[in-house]
Amino acid sequence: MKSKILIVDDEKDVELLFRQKFRKEIKSGTLELCFAFSGDEALGILDSENPPQVVYVFSDINMPGMSGLELLAKVKERFPQINVSMISAYGDSQNYEKAMNSGAKEFFTKPIDFESLKKEIGGMIKEN
Amino acid sequence: MIIAIISLILLHYLKRPMGLIKVSPEWVRIFNGGMIAAGVLWIVIGFNIPIISDLARILSFILIGLIVYVTLKTEDLQHRKGMVYAWLPIIGVEIIQALVEIISESFYKRYETYFEAAGVFAFIWAIAMWVNNSKQRKALELEKLKAMQREKEFQITESLKTQLERQVAQRTKELTNQKNELQHALKDLQAAQNQLIHAEKMASLGELTAGIAHEIQNPLNFVNNFSDVSTELLTELKEELEAGNKEDAMEILEDVIQNLGKIHHHGKRADSIVKGMLLHSRSSTGQKELTDINALADEYLRLSYHGLRAKDKSFTADFKLEEDPSLEKMNVVPGDLGRVLLNLINNGFYAAGEKKKELAEKGNTEFLPKVTVSIKKVDSGVEIRVRDNGKGIPEDIKAKIFQPFFTTKPTGKGTGLGLSMSYDIVTKGHNGEINVISEPEEFTEFEIKIPNQ
């Protein structure tokens, strides 16, 4: 079964990086990645499918416009079944607590440790 | 006998001062001696001793002769000349009378009435002379008094003059001191101003640090991530080549080439941020260089945003850059202009952030702060607009915002120098213009016009 993951970051090169990092998983068809470059765009993608196919959202916190934490709150409010994890350069306790209290599954700091990220995604794929 | 008395009278007056004229102590001593001699002669003549008294009488003639002679001939005694002339006829008559009496008493007796008449005339003469003399003396004394008055006035004027001169000198000294103090104060102020400008620069650099760290961290992450992933890809490439999958190998190669491009791109990005930071911290040399205004605005917009974001975790805002790709590089002082942009953008975020806080207190959480920087090429140069949707600037303080030390921010949040420095940089440094339009509670827009240099 294919798992669809949404990655939200205002840095466009993140897409290229993720596609290469999960090259094998994408090729084998176990993983599908989609990308949004702002919170609004992310909500748009989630809203475009009913019910949304995305099962996991990884979002940057620090973005112009809607912040990742705001996006987290909105996603959790509308789609409680979707997992949301945060990826932030600001790995301070304030952000961490706010994210976890708002229902984030995990909190990853930048630079992204792709090993732990792969583990997290791998676990999710197995669950599916 | 009369001659001796006259001698006494004459000597008495001679030694006394007349008006302001005084005789010297030596003369007084001589006159005292003369008076004693006259007194002695008077007494001796009075006793009427034969021969001795006659001798004394002759001596008294000699004495008075001496007195008259000395008085008339001596320079120091000229002022008593009048007195001597007054007495002279009486003396003359007396002497002749006495001589005649001694020589021929019968002759004297015969003409006694004439002698008496001569004595009366001499007396009248003496009185006339005395009246005349005293008149002259009074006139002289009046003249002296006037002279004294003038002298006094002159002295008063002199003392006033010296007093005035002293006062002028004192005032001059005071003024010079004040001038020196003021010059000193001015120097101190100029030094303080330089320090403040430096402090302002450092403060904005401090605000920037977090933003810079974030901005550098991001490209560095990409550099690291893309090089990691490229290593992985190359390992896979090796496997694919060994397996003889040329198609997959080519695909991987394409990715690696793309990744190296990305590494280069992000490396450059970090590089330009560091350069920008150095530009900002370095004291401005005022050196103008060809600068990409679009890139400069983009850089500082991001630095400002991330700086504020790093300082205040709850801070969120939207920002937008409207570039004008047709704008060519312009000759500006990039560090200075960057500082202006940073300042205006920071202010914009601050104003919009304050509005968000105020609205949130009233329960409105929908408001999203936004700062837009737009660049527009015009014939004369470039127009840069920094617009925020914040609280706006009240009309009454609009005129003051460019004044040094004017700030509406709470103590410790603003130096009050940001806008005044921006004003100087734009107007003096680049011959440009900086204007502000604002609608309270709606927006503020700063417009910078920089002419082609």
Side-chain angles (χ1 to χ4, degrees), chain B residues 14-32:
Chain B
L14 276 170
K15 70 171 189 180
R16 275 183 57 187
M18 182 171 128
L20 289 170
I21 304 163
K22 277 181 187 163
V23 290
S24 67
E26 289 103 82
W27 279 116
V28 173
R29 262 202 308 280
I30 292 164
F31 294 147
N32 279 338

Side-chain angles (χ1 to χ4, degrees), chain B residues 207-208 211-212 215 273 276-277 298-308 342 346:
Chain B
E207 278 175 18
L208 271 184
I212 287 165
E215 283 293 280
I273 290 161
M277 184 174 72
D298 180 51
E299 183 185 329
Y300 277 96
L301 189 53
R302 299 175 75 89
L303 284 178
S304 171
Y305 173 77
H306 290 299
L308 292 170
L342 181 74
N346 274 351

Side-chain angles (χ1 to χ4, degrees), chain A residues 57-73:
Chain A
V57 175
F58 289 90
S59 175
D60 185 17
I61 290 182
N62 192 18
M63 293 181 293
M66 190 190 297
S67 81
L69 290 174
E70 284 169 314
L71 177 66
L72 166 69

Side-chain angles (χ1 to χ4, degrees), chain B residues 157-347:
Chain B
T157 320
E158 272 299 295
S159 78
L160 273 175
K161 200 178 126 199
T162 47
Q163 199 179 334
L164 271 173
E165 273 170 3
R166 215 172 30 236
Q167 280 179 347
V168 168
Q170 199 183 339
R171 287 284 148 78
T172 311
K173 204 176 145 199
E174 281 171 9
L175 282 173
T176 314
N177 283 347
Q178 275 181 352
K179 188 191 130 219
N180 288 343
E181 276 170 30
L182 283 173
Q183 273 179 337
H184 203 76
L186 185 68
K187 252 187 207 156
D188 284 354
L189 276 174
Q190 278 168 342
Q193 192 192 25
N194 286 338
Q195 277 175 352
L196 277 170
I197 289 171
H198 186 69
E200 165 69 27
K201 243 187 241 176
M202 286 300 121
S204 59
L205 185 66
E207 278 175 18
L208 271 184
T209 318
I212 287 165
H214 178 89
E215 283 293 280
I216 294 176
Q217 191 61 51
N218 264 345
L220 282 182
N221 285 343
F222 278 115
V223 169
N224 290 333
N225 288 333
F226 277 117
S227 60
D228 278 351
V229 84
S230 297
T231 312
E232 287 168 24
L233 286 176
L234 287 174
T235 316
E236 281 176 38
L237 172 69
K238 200 178 162 194
E239 286 165 11
E240 298 292 351
L241 281 179
E242 276 165 3
N245 296 334
K246 203 186 164 194
E247 209 174 299
D248 286 344
M250 282 306 287
E251 206 180 289
I252 292 171
L253 262 181
E254 290 295 329
D255 279 352
V256 172
I257 290 168
Q258 194 184 11
N259 286 356
L260 288 176
K262 288 292 172 193
I263 289 169
H264 181 75
H265 167 75
H266 289 286
K268 277 272 172 205
R269 204 175 127 194
D271 184 65
S272 79
I273 290 161
V274 172
K275 283 214 177 90
M277 184 174 72
L278 289 178
L279 263 182
H280 187 84
S281 65
R282 203 187 303 143
S283 7
S284 171
T285 53
Q287 209 65 22
K288 287 183 179 141
E289 46 190 275
L290 284 175
T291 307
D292 181 347
I293 306 282
N294 287 322
L296 191 77
D298 180 51
E299 183 185 329
Y300 277 96
L301 189 53
R302 299 175 75 89
L303 284 178
S304 171
Y305 173 77
H306 290 299
L308 292 170
R309 180 67 189 72
K311 241 178 32 179
D312 177 7
K313 302 290 181 304
S314 65
F315 175 81
T316 51
D318 197 2
F319 59 84
K320 194 169 146 199
L321 176 70
E322 290 167 358
E323 292 181 322
D324 187 342
S326 69
L327 179 71
E328 290 121 28
K329 285 188 175 183
M330 284 183 72
N331 225 0
V332 295
V333 186
D336 283 355
L337 194 60
R339 204 170 295 134
V340 172
L341 290 173
L342 181 74
N343 225 301
L344 297 179
I345 295 165
N346 274 351
N347 284 348

